[in-house]
Amino acid sequence: MQMVEVVPFPARIQVYPSLSPCPPGYWNSNGRPRIRTRLLVKMETFSAVASSPSSYSTSRYFDQTVGGQSPLKSVDKIHNTTKKRVFFLDVNPLCYAGSTPSLHSFGHWVSLFFNQVSLNDPVIAVFDGERGSEHRRNLLPSYKAHRWKFLRKSSKGHVGRSHRIISDVLSKCNVPVIRIEGHEADDVVATLVDEVLQKGHNAVIASPDKDFKQLLSEDVQIVMPLVELKRWSFYTLKHYMSQYNCDPCSDLSLRCILGDEVDGVPGIQHVVPGFGRKTAVKLLKKHGSLENLLNTAAVRTVGKQYAQDALIKYGDFLRRNYEVLALRKDVNVQIQDEWLKERDRKNDSTILSGFFKMLEETKKPGYHDRHTISNG
């Protein structure tokens, strides 16, 4: 039986498989977007003085695609007042300082997030579910293999024993917490973002995870924790287009071809050394998406002979990468009206102060002999 944890709004979930990151009709017969998205979204950055900066680094998550350059710049804070913003908080990455589990890192970033970013806007927090990576790992055993070993090793550590503490803090700050067995947080967020857009709202994903770039649109932004600058910073479709000169769906296709070392997804260059980034970018700019590229290669030559042969021989290899890397939007989780209400933040200071006080108490000699932290 599939287990679902929703705090404070429980629900039962079913799953219907589907793996299409772009809406039907997005691409024309030439492999190009039918309608070029209007780039009207302004960049927002929020400076915050960090009383105790986390060592958690996000740069390795966002410099993995074409160019590998950071486009983030400080500009004046600008609010889009035409639509309600709904924030999705990707909790798991915030619970680490580098590769070390850290409740302090969680408290630090959430405190800045509530005080400087989301304010009164609704926030929905999402955790990875138990066995969330199982589906992708069945397709590709190397998927997040290093992370999986680390999580198993650290599951008896402080953060591994403290899921209930984190959930309790968020719940008391009037944030619903979603954790669905058998699903990664990324897929739950992707599904809920679609529902929010259908309701006419904007969505903002708070996460350092580069996988969310494929969801960027005029109505979907990412806000990242930047350790080096000690603040959260917004990343929009306009920044993406300026940085990479391609659409987010093409970025996903590029990652499918070149692989993702962080997530343990091998690229085609491991089996065809001459097929590198330059070739992949050129082909995708012409054909728009991996599926269009593979379909075209099946009926005519699309490039140099080595590239043509590679696409024919390793088509299944690339489609498997696509199934692993594309975010799923088929989790049958329903947005509740209560989740979209303005968040009451009047108790944030008291709740977070109590949380940090608890963390200080845990540093005192003999604390763990006197207290047992529940395993969530």
Side-chain angles (χ1 to χ4, degrees), residues 17 24 47 51 86 97 99 102-103 105 108 133 140 147 187 202 217 223 243 256 263 272 365 372-373:
S47 298
S51 58
V86 179
S99 60
S102 170
L103 283 174
S105 175
H108 165 72
S133 301
L140 182 63
R147 194 179 310 180
D187 296 325
N202 286 337
S217 72
V223 60
Q243 183 182 4
C256 293
D263 285 346
V272 184
T372 301
I373 298 180

Side-chain angles (χ1 to χ4, degrees), residues 258-305:
L258 299 180
D260 188 323
E261 292 184 6
V262 174
D263 285 346
V265 180
I268 199 170
Q269 67 272 18
H270 292 286
V271 289
V272 184
F275 202 130
R277 180 181 296 271
K278 184 177 179 180
T279 299
V281 170
K282 182 178 180 180
L283 290 171
L284 288 174
K285 281 189 175 181
K286 182 177 181 180
H287 297 279
S289 71
L290 176 62
E291 191 62 28
N292 285 343
L293 176 60
L294 293 176
N295 289 340
T296 304
V299 296
R300 64 177 176 83
T301 301
V302 297
K304 293 184 179 180
Q305 194 61 46

Side-chain angles (χ1 to χ4, degrees), residues 197-246:
L197 297 182
Q198 291 171 18
K199 291 179 178 292
H201 306 314
N202 286 337
V204 183
I205 304 167
S207 175
D209 194 336
K210 65 186 179 302
D211 293 341
F212 287 121
K213 281 185 175 182
Q214 62 192 266
L215 301 180
L216 283 169
S217 72
E218 183 178 335
D219 298 319
V220 180
Q221 302 176 348
I222 298 170
V223 60
M224 304 173 292
L226 299 183
V227 174
E228 297 83 358
L229 301 179
K230 303 176 183 178
R231 69 163 188 253
W232 290 86
S233 188
F234 278 76
Y235 186 91
T236 71
L237 176 63
K238 183 175 182 179
H239 307 132
Y240 182 92
M241 296 287 290
S242 175
Q243 183 182 4
Y244 301 130
N245 193 30
C246 67

